Amino acid sequence: MARYTGADCKRCRREKVKLFLKGSKCDGPKCPIESRPYPPGQHGRARSKDSEYLLQMREKQKCARIYGILERQFRGYYEEANRLQGKTGENLLVLLETRLDNVVFRAGFAKSRDMARQLVRHGHFLVNGKSVNIPSFQVTPMDIIDVVPASLDTTPFIVASAELGEKTVPAWMEVVGSKMRILVHAVPTRPIIDTQVQEQLIVELYSK
């Protein structure tokens, strides 16, 4: 499976905003965007002309990078969102939010989406009692996500259990800390999705 293998911090600097790809490092003084708040590369400090197309492209890139998705898969999500009823941009964000790796991250079981993706790939989670190791698996209302019992004593989950409650859990899901369980109550709506992207710019880009 193709995935980005470059420096995460360069992606934040390229978008000129924190994408929170490195967990706790993003909140500390060592975050590179704090000392170098300009795009990477030889001409990073040069002022670029923000054309309509550039703004749309940057918004799409920012969204894809936040969720850790490459172009081909991101376009697939857009096409699926376009087929669904309702606003395409909002449908797109809902599809991204209900990925299993994102749900694990939002619940506080991982410090970043990259870490959540790795935990899912390694088979540490059960969805409705069945093992799922596909990060893009779409969760639905009433799904129950559990940590595999044998994984509870491993370091990532010991740390996650100790830190539960430090992170705000979205209203559409519930975390049962005593059981390291996630309950999905509903499909998220745009007002409660805190991803800072202008999804309409993405729709305009792909509609051309």
Side-chain angles (χ1 to χ4, degrees), residues 10 153 164:
K10 283 188 176 181
D153 293 330
L164 284 180

Side-chain angles (χ1 to χ4, degrees), residues 103-159:
V103 171
V104 169
F105 166 70
R106 291 288 196 187
F109 288 10
K111 293 184 179 297
S112 67
R113 288 183 176 88
D114 278 348
M115 180 179 177
R117 190 171 300 112
Q118 185 178 44
L119 291 175
V120 173
R121 283 198 182 117
H122 288 180
H124 291 296
F125 292 95
L126 304 172
V127 179
N128 300 326
K130 296 181 179 180
S131 178
V132 176
N133 61 1
I134 302 173
S136 60
F137 178 88
Q138 296 288 154
V139 304
T140 56
M142 309 308 294
D143 277 352
I144 300 174
I145 303 163
D146 290 301
V147 177
V148 172
S151 301
L152 290 172
D153 293 330
T154 59
T155 300
F157 295 106
I158 293 175
V159 173

Side-chain angles (χ1 to χ4, degrees), residues 175-187:
V175 174
V176 183
S178 60
K179 297 182 178 180
M180 290 297 284
R181 170 176 290 176
I182 306 169
L183 306 176
V184 180
H185 293 310
V187 172

